[in-house]
Amino acid sequence: GFTPGLSAGEWAVGVGIEYLDWKEDTNRTLDVLETGPLLAASLRYLQSLESGLLLGYRGKLWGGRVKYEGSEMRNPDNPVSGTTGYSGISNEGQIRWRKTGDDNRLDTVFGMGFDYWRRSLSYIQDEDWYVAYLRLGMESGVNDPGNWSVALGVKYPVWVRENAHLNEIGFDSNPPLEPGRQLSLYAD
């Protein structure tokens, strides 16, 4: 059988700033809002074939501190503000189908990924998040890999778990939390 070699491909390494905009709709008077910039470092690989089936990979490390606005857990009418720390890692394998024109290309992208991140709400309260997801979209660009590309699509979390470490901050138990799953749009 033929196994495509991963050595002949396009590699990209990047650093940048991303923006977090997190909102938790709660049954309390005040919802939780977290906003602010995060630093990110990324690694991408994509087979360099002109057309047809391609394999790819996307990985990212990210983290930082963002502005927090919400309320106390035990007294939901008491507003609280401060900062929340975030750190995380993402890994995604991709299968692409590429169509090439004169000076451009269009890829249909199917990705399967896993995200892990830690949300540090205080010096004693951490939450760990685990998300396995599927991504489907389109990416267009020019045939010169050093130039810009645009990607649009949908992302769906197929498995989500949260460990709030509640027993470590004074609660009697730490039940497994399974946040909801919702289809979302993405753009790169």
Side-chain angles (χ1 to χ4, degrees), residues 131-151:
V131 180
Y133 64 88
L134 299 174
R135 178 193 305 260
L136 180 63
M138 302 294 285
E139 183 173 319
S140 72
V142 294
N143 288 331
D144 178 0
N147 287 325
W148 290 88
S149 66
V150 175

Side-chain angles (χ1 to χ4, degrees), residues 3 9 11 31 37 40 46 63 69 72-73 81 93 100 158 181:
T3 304
W11 289 91
D31 290 333
L46 184 58
E69 293 182 19
E72 288 182 350
M73 196 177 234
S81 64
T100 305
V158 294
R181 298 184 312 256

Side-chain angles (χ1 to χ4, degrees), residues 44 58 94-99 105-111 135-141 149-154 186-188:
R44 294 180 122 184
R58 295 166 46 132
Q94 296 180 342
I95 298 173
R96 293 172 173 240
W97 183 260
R98 175 170 289 171
K99 270 187 105 163
R105 63 185 187 201
L106 182 63
D107 292 0
T108 301
V109 181
F110 173 72
R135 178 193 305 260
L136 180 63
M138 302 294 285
E139 183 173 319
S140 72
S149 66
V150 175
L152 298 170
V154 293
Y186 74 87
D188 279 332

Side-chain angles (χ1 to χ4, degrees), residues 96-174:
R96 293 172 173 240
W97 183 260
R98 175 170 289 171
K99 270 187 105 163
T100 305
D102 291 336
D103 275 337
N104 54 43
R105 63 185 187 201
L106 182 63
D107 292 0
T108 301
V109 181
F110 173 72
M112 294 176 57
F114 183 77
D115 292 341
Y116 162 78
W117 72 88
R118 173 162 276 193
R119 181 179 181 211
S120 299
L121 297 159
S122 69
Y123 68 96
I124 62 166
Q125 185 179 1
D126 292 322
E127 296 176 347
D128 293 320
W129 292 75
Y130 309 87
V131 180
Y133 64 88
L134 299 174
R135 178 193 305 260
L136 180 63
M138 302 294 285
E139 183 173 319
S140 72
V142 294
N143 288 331
D144 178 0
N147 287 325
W148 290 88
S149 66
V150 175
L152 298 170
V154 293
K155 186 174 172 181
Y156 184 73
V158 294
W159 180 81
V160 181
R161 294 294 182 271
E162 175 189 1
N163 181 355
H165 302 281
L166 296 174
N167 55 338
E168 297 172 20
I169 59 171
F171 289 90
D172 294 336
S173 65
N174 185 39

